Structure formats: C-alpha cells, structure tokens
C-alpha cells in the first residue's frame, strides 16, 4: 500500500543522525545571496497576487501596464476571423443576386411586390355619309389585359392573361335620288302620293306621303335605295279613296342621283282622282264620312294580333285621319252609330281589342318613333315628330268603343 501524506510527515519527524547528515550534505543551507533572492521572489509573487502594477527588480524600477481585454491577441484574432467570414458571406450573396438578375427579363425599372394592371379600351366608330351617299360602318374593339405579377424574390415570376374581342358590322351602301313635281294650283282635296316598285317578286308600296290642297303647292321627297330601280308613282284620293292613278313611271339611279322619266302627267293624274270637282258642302261632308268608315274598315281587317306591320299601317292611317278630318265630335258620333248599326256584342268586343292595339301603336310612333316599322311603310320618324297628343278624333273613337 502506498504511503499517504501523514506517513511522510512522520518519517520527517523521526530522522536519525545519518539521514540528517546526509540531507545537510546534499542540500546545504542557503547563503545570504540566495536568501535575498528567495525573499525578492516571494515579494514579487505577493505583489502579483495583490494586483500590483509596479515592482522593483535588481534595484531598478520597471513599470508594467495591464493590456485591456479588447486589445488582447485572442480578441484580435477572433475579430479578424469574423470580418473575413462576413466579407465572404456578402460576396457570395452578391454573386447569387447578380446571377438572379441576369436570368430575369431586361427592364429599366425593378418592381417589388405584386403589380395588378387592368386596361380596357373600347373604340366605336360610326360614319354616315350624306343623304345622297349613305355608308354606315360600325367597328367595336375591346381589349382587356389583366393581372401582371412580378415577385421580388431570387426568381422573378411573370403571369400575363389577355383577352381580345373584335366585332365589325357594316351595312350595305345606300344612295338617294331627289324626286320633285309641281302640284296643280287649282286642285282641292286631300291625296296620298305613293312610290311603288317590284321588290322580291312583289309589287310593293315602299313610301307614301299625304298632301292637302290648297296648302301644298310643291311635292319634294328624297328616296333612298341601291343601284337602279324602276319606280311607279301613284295617286290616291284620301277622301273618295279613288286609287291606282299613275302620276308617272321612272327609273331611279340611286348611285348617280339621276331620274329618267319614262312617263309623267301630273295634271291628268289629279284630274282622274277628282281634284278639280266643284264640291258642295254636302259633298265634302259625305267624303269625310266615307273616309272615316274606310279607316274603321282597315282596323277591322286586322286578322293577326301579332302582325305588327299591319297594326302600324292602321296606326299611321288613324293618325293621318285624326289630323286631317273635317268631322266634328258630334258628326263622328253620328257616323259611328250608322257604321255599327247591325253589330253584335262580339263585334264590339273584337273592335275594342283591335282598336286598343292600333291606338297604342299610334302613341308609340309619335313618342318613340318606331322607325323600323315606319320605314317599311314608306315613312320616317320625322313625319310624325311634330304631332301633339292627344288628338280629339282618336279620343272620341276610344270613348265610343
């Protein structure tokens, strides 16, 4: 068993003479110089322990200054390593960002976040020539570009969605001719001048206009169409309903605006239509009653409620009669009684329903125009734009029904 420190101390205290002498020879007593040196070393250790900044060595004064922690060699080495690592990190990061930028599309401006861009353009162009050369062209273009996204990350992402729609509508080219005749100054009565032509295999009245003597002395009308067309201008007595009387036959060249006369006799047409008769007051009254009953027959002749062209035609007739009749309110009531003398309740119900359709369409023509139907009847919206409703004769019939 090894000796512990207590055994060692016991041996030191139990030395014999031989061991003491041996120790004295091997380890002589220190001389004065050695003792002094040992004392100074002890003082130096004591000063260092007490954090002394100065001590005396070999009779000379040396000054020792403690170095701060932040100026130590270890701290300097650690700081240098941190700086080198930092520069290396930013250099690598810069090269990475440069590589990302080189892969993106070229653009002078760099956007961050999300940019949403919406553009809507609608262009509408309508061109209408004069009445002698009408060209209508409408072009509608709609372009929409939506949702452009640019993300400011290492890789830019661009999403573009666009929709384009284009619609073009072009109507056929139409031109016009100007038709004009001088009316007889000594004529009297009320007449309709009608323009007729063969269209789509049928003889059709495509335009009509009413004249009244002695107020009208000249007749002027602009007729539109395409190419060349043979036109028959007819006269009808609006009081006696004498019709089928020809004023003349013409060739209308719509493109050049010229009219070629094949036959024309204006005075004879009005003479055959009774424009020069010496009417007495009773004759005028009888003609006005006949005109009223003819208008009522036209309304009763409507067979199909959905035939709006027929309804519009009778509405125009009702408006013309209401504006031009010479019958008073009492005379209309009297003539109505004669006209409906043999009617049954079913006859009254049928006429009441048909008259309401014609009455409503007459108001529609005046207030809204309804140009499409009027054009098929040879009229325009301006022909009734001046009418002021309500008209007394129309309201009298409505009250009677």
């Amino acid at each position: 068993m090894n000796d512990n420190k207590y055994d060692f101390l016991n041996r030191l205290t139990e030395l014999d003479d031989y061991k003491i002498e041996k120790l004295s020879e091997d380890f002589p007593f220190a001389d004065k110089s050695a003792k002094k040196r040992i004392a100074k070393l002890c003082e130096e250790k004591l000063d260092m322990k007490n954090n002394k900044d100065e001590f005396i060595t070999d009779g000379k004064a040396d000054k020792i200054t403690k170095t701060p922690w932040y100026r130590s060699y270890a701290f300097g080495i650690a700081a240098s390593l941190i700086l080198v690592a930092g520069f290396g990190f930013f250099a690598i990061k810069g090269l990475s960002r440069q590589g990302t930028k080189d892969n993106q599309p070229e653009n002078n401006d760099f956007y961050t976040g999300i940019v949403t861009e919406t553009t809507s353009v609608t262009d509408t162009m309508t061109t209408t020539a004069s009445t002698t050369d009408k060209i209508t062209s409408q072009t509608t273009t709609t372009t929409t570009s939506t949702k452009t996204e640019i993300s400011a990350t290492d890789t830019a992402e661009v999403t573009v969605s666009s929709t384009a729609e284009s619609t073009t509508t072009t109507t056929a080219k139409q031109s016009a001719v100007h038709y004009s005749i001088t009316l007889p100054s000594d004529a009297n009565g009320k007449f309709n001048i009608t323009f007729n032509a063969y269209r789509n295999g049928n003889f059709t009245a495509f335009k009509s206009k009413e004249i009244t003597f002695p107020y009208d002395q000249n007749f002027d009308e602009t007729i539109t169409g395409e190419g060349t067309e043979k036109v028959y201008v007819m006269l009808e007595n609006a009081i006696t309903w004498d019709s089928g009387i020809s004023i003349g036959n013409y060739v209308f060249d719509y493109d050049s605006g010229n009219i070629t006369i094949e036959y024309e006799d204006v005075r004879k047409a009005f003479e055959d239509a009774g424009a020069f008769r010496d009417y007495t007051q009773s004759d005028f009254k009888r003609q006005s009653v006949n005109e009223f009953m003819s208008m009522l027959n036209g309304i009763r002749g409507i067979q199909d409620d959905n035939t709006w062209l027929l309804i519009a035609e009778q509405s125009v007739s009702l408006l013309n009669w209401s504006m031009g009749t010479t019958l008073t309110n009492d005379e209309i009531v009297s003539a109505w009684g004669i006209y409906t003398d043999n009617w049954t309740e079913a006859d009254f119900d049928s006429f009441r329903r048909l008259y309401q359709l014609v009455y409503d369409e007459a108001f529609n023509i005046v207030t809204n125009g309804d140009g499409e139907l009027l054009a098929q009847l040879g009229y325009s919206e301006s022909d009734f734009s001046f009418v002021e409703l309500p008209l007394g004769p129309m309201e009298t019939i409505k009250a009677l029904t």
Side-chain angles (χ1 to χ4, degrees):
M1 181 180 292
N2 293 330
D3 295 337
N4 56 30
K5 62 181 180 178
Y6 298 102
D7 295 333
F8 178 76
L9 291 175
N10 291 332
R11 287 198 300 268
L12 288 178
T13 57
E14 296 178 355
L15 294 175
D16 55 9
D17 292 339
Y18 175 77
K19 291 180 179 180
I20 293 172
E21 185 175 354
K22 181 68 174 173
L23 288 171
S24 299
E25 290 177 358
D26 294 336
F27 302 95
F29 291 102
D31 59 5
K32 185 176 180 179
S33 177
K35 292 179 180 179
K36 193 174 182 178
R37 182 175 57 81
I38 292 171
K40 287 183 179 180
L41 289 174
C42 291
E43 289 178 357
E44 288 177 4
K45 289 182 177 292
L46 183 62
D47 289 340
M48 291 175 66
K49 182 177 181 180
N50 295 330
N51 294 324
K52 297 294 185 179
D53 292 335
E54 296 179 0
F55 63 91
I56 304 300
T57 304
D58 294 335
K60 296 181 181 180
D62 294 330
K63 185 176 180 180
I64 305 300
T65 303
K66 294 181 67 177
T67 304
W69 64 270
Y70 53 83
R71 296 180 61 182
S72 64
Y73 289 110
F75 178 79
I77 294 173
S80 299
L81 291 175
I82 292 173
L83 288 175
V84 172
F87 282 125
F89 173 81
F90 285 112
I92 294 173
K93 188 67 175 178
L95 291 175
S96 176
R97 295 179 65 86
Q98 182 64 32
T100 301
K101 182 178 180 180
D102 293 340
N103 292 331
Q104 292 178 351
E106 293 185 1
N107 195 346
N108 294 330
D109 299 325
F110 188 75
Y111 296 89
T112 61
I114 298 177
V115 178
T116 301
E117 183 177 318
T118 303
T119 304
S120 181
V121 179
T122 303
D123 297 330
T124 302
M125 177 181 69
T126 303
T127 304
T128 305
S130 64
T131 55
T132 59
D133 191 10
K134 296 185 178 178
I135 303 176
T136 304
S137 177
Q138 180 175 346
T139 301
T140 303
T141 302
T142 303
T143 303
T144 305
S145 177
T146 60
K147 195 178 181 182
T148 300
E149 297 182 359
I150 300 178
S151 177
T153 59
D154 290 340
T155 303
E157 178 181 358
V158 178
T159 302
V160 178
S161 175
S162 62
T163 302
E165 179 181 355
S166 179
T167 303
T168 303
T169 303
T170 304
T171 60
K173 179 180 178 182
Q174 283 195 335
S175 301
V177 297
H178 183 72
Y179 180 82
S180 176
I181 58 174
T182 301
L183 302 175
S185 59
D186 54 342
N188 56 72
K190 185 163 59 176
F191 301 86
N192 294 317
I193 295 179
T194 305
F195 294 83
N196 306 267
Y198 285 96
R199 294 185 175 182
N200 300 321
N202 296 316
F203 190 72
T204 304
F206 61 87
K207 191 173 184 64
S208 179
K209 189 173 182 179
E210 184 178 88
I211 59 172
T212 302
F213 294 106
Y215 306 107
D216 297 315
Q217 295 297 317
N218 293 285
F219 181 85
D220 297 277
E221 192 69 18
T222 298
I223 311 298
T224 60
E226 302 175 27
T228 302
E229 184 177 43
K230 187 169 184 178
V231 178
Y232 302 85
V233 181
M234 314 294 289
L235 184 65
E236 178 185 59
N237 191 320
I239 298 176
T240 63
W241 297 102
D242 293 334
S243 59
I245 302 168
S246 176
I247 293 178
N249 304 335
Y250 310 87
V251 175
F252 288 0
D253 188 344
Y254 297 104
D255 294 335
S256 65
N258 295 326
I259 297 177
T260 301
I261 301 175
E262 293 185 347
Y263 164 80
E264 182 180 76
D265 194 335
V266 177
R267 187 169 184 85
K268 183 177 186 306
F270 279 95
E271 182 178 359
D272 293 343
F276 306 110
R277 296 174 187 168
D278 186 14
Y279 292 106
T280 63
Q281 188 65 28
S282 60
D283 290 335
F284 276 111
K285 191 64 63 179
R286 184 174 60 255
Q287 291 172 0
S288 296
V289 171
N290 290 338
E291 181 184 13
F292 169 63
M293 293 184 176
S294 178
M295 186 269 298
L296 296 178
N297 286 334
I299 296 175
R300 294 188 71 188
I302 299 174
Q303 300 296 326
D304 188 352
D305 296 352
N306 296 322
T307 307
W308 287 106
L309 184 61
L310 295 177
I311 294 173
E313 182 179 7
Q314 296 308 315
S315 298
V316 169
S317 178
L318 177 62
L319 287 170
N320 287 330
W321 172 79
S322 297
M323 291 184 294
T325 185
T326 59
L327 295 177
T328 65
N329 185 66
D330 292 339
E331 289 171 342
I332 292 175
V333 173
S334 177
W336 172 261
I338 296 172
Y339 184 77
T340 61
D341 184 40
N342 297 321
W343 279 18
T344 64
E345 188 62 31
D347 293 330
F348 280 101
D349 290 340
S350 175
F351 184 85
R352 186 182 301 110
R353 178 175 56 85
L354 293 174
Y355 184 78
Q356 186 65 49
L357 295 173
V358 173
Y359 179 90
D360 291 342
E361 179 59 23
F363 264 78
N364 183 49
I365 289 173
V366 174
T367 57
N368 300 323
D370 208 347
E372 183 178 352
L373 285 175
L374 288 176
Q376 297 183 57
L377 296 173
Y379 291 89
S380 65
E381 296 181 16
S382 60
D383 291 335
F384 298 96
S385 60
F386 64 92
V387 178
E388 295 183 3
L389 298 175
L391 294 172
M394 289 174 54
E395 300 302 323
T396 299
I397 297 176
K398 185 174 177 60
L400 291 173
T401 59

